[in-house]
Amino acid sequence: MSLHIETEHAGKAASVTVKGDVTIQTSPELRNELQPLFSSDVEVVRVVLNGVEFMDSSGIATLVEGLQWSKISGGRFVLSGLSETVRDVFELAKLDTIFEIEG
Amino acid sequence: MQHLADQACEGVCLNAIQINRIALALDELFANIHAHGYANQGGDIDCSAKWTGQEGKPCLLEIKLRDYAPAIQDITTCKGIDPETLKDHPVAGGLGLHLIYAITESFEHTPLEDGNQWCLLFNLKEEDTKT
């Protein structure tokens, strides 16, 4: 399944809306979309995941990288709209507490 | 993987989270075999699944995979990252095997002369199934 990613900017915030499965095949696309945001003047990166029903460990690893980049740049990295199944994967990985998760 | 999980669970009526967990565990194991066993060059993987349980109520799903990659003698050397360490020092990667262990009731590996056998046992509790 292909990944559809759309990024919108509003002031110093960027919202990255993701639709599709985030897997070892598609997670590089998400990584390529996220990485430049942390070398810009964006202070808040929000990843909207309500169009994602399946995410594997490479997808989670990509978001962990985003969290790392946000710590280095001093910005916020927020996940929102997690589906029931994606939230379950975060809980299984015990990573639900290290991310700022909305909604 | 979703298709395989759907096939294994056909007629059993599991909820979305349980089906997703089965698909995820298979996805992670296939990805590891492909990347590490077959060095991303591709290769055969045999797969079988069976339900076991009592009084006609399936509750244990056993899925076996068999690859023809070089045998791994000691899987404990590749258990992946401990998520507890991520809280203070987030790093990407190494989560796949952790997820498999977290999802399955048991996860066993047997080295063979010409490959590896992997056995995943899923304990699907009654409250996790729907009628």
Side-chain angles (χ1 to χ4, degrees), chain B residues 74-126:
Chain B
D74 184 8
I75 192 178
T76 59
T77 59
C78 46
K79 272 205 169 182
I81 197 164
D82 178 1
E84 290 297 320
T85 64
L86 290 176
K87 290 174 182 171
D88 297 321
H89 306 286
V91 293
L95 276 169
L97 278 176
H98 166 73
L99 285 172
I100 294 173
Y101 281 108
I103 291 168
T104 54
E105 179 78 6
S106 70
F107 174 53
E108 294 176 359
H109 163 257
T110 307
L112 306 174
E113 278 188 15
D114 58 346
N116 300 275
Q117 180 169 278
W118 310 87
C119 183
L120 304 96
L121 192 64
F122 300 89
N123 186 2
L124 302 162
K125 301 181 186 73
E126 200 150 324

Side-chain angles (χ1 to χ4, degrees), chain A residues 54 56-57 61 68 88 92-93, chain B residues 20-21 27-28 83 86 90 92 98:
Chain A
F54 185 82
D56 69 11
S57 65
Q68 286 176 299
D88 181 59
L92 284 169
Chain B
N20 187 69
R21 286 182 178 186
D27 178 274
E28 297 293 346
L86 290 176
H98 166 73

Side-chain angles (χ1 to χ4, degrees), chain A residues 23-24 53-58 60-62 64-65 67-68 71 84-86 88-89 92-95 97-98, chain B residues 1-2 16-17 20-21 23-24 27-28 31 35 82-84 86-88 90-93 95-96 98-99 102-103:
Chain A
T23 65
I24 196 166
E53 290 297 327
F54 185 82
M55 180 179 292
D56 69 11
S57 65
S58 67
I60 291 182
T62 301
V64 170
E65 277 192 292
L67 184 63
Q68 286 176 299
K71 286 179 187 290
E84 187 183 39
T85 48
V86 170
D88 181 59
V89 178
L92 284 169
K94 299 181 182 174
L95 294 176
T97 56
I98 73 163
Chain B
M1 291 314 106
Q2 189 71 51
I17 285 181
N20 187 69
R21 286 182 178 186
L24 179 62
D27 178 274
E28 297 293 346
D82 178 1
E84 290 297 320
L86 290 176
K87 290 174 182 171
D88 297 321
V91 293
L95 276 169
H98 166 73
L99 285 172
I103 291 168

Side-chain angles (χ1 to χ4, degrees), chain B residues 56-84:
Chain B
K57 291 183 178 178
C59 59
L60 291 173
L61 174 63
E62 181 187 85
I63 296 182
K64 285 184 176 175
L65 302 186
R66 193 260 204 251
D67 66 54
Y68 299 86
I72 301 169
Q73 294 307 320
D74 184 8
I75 192 178
T76 59
T77 59
C78 46
K79 272 205 169 182
I81 197 164
D82 178 1
E84 290 297 320

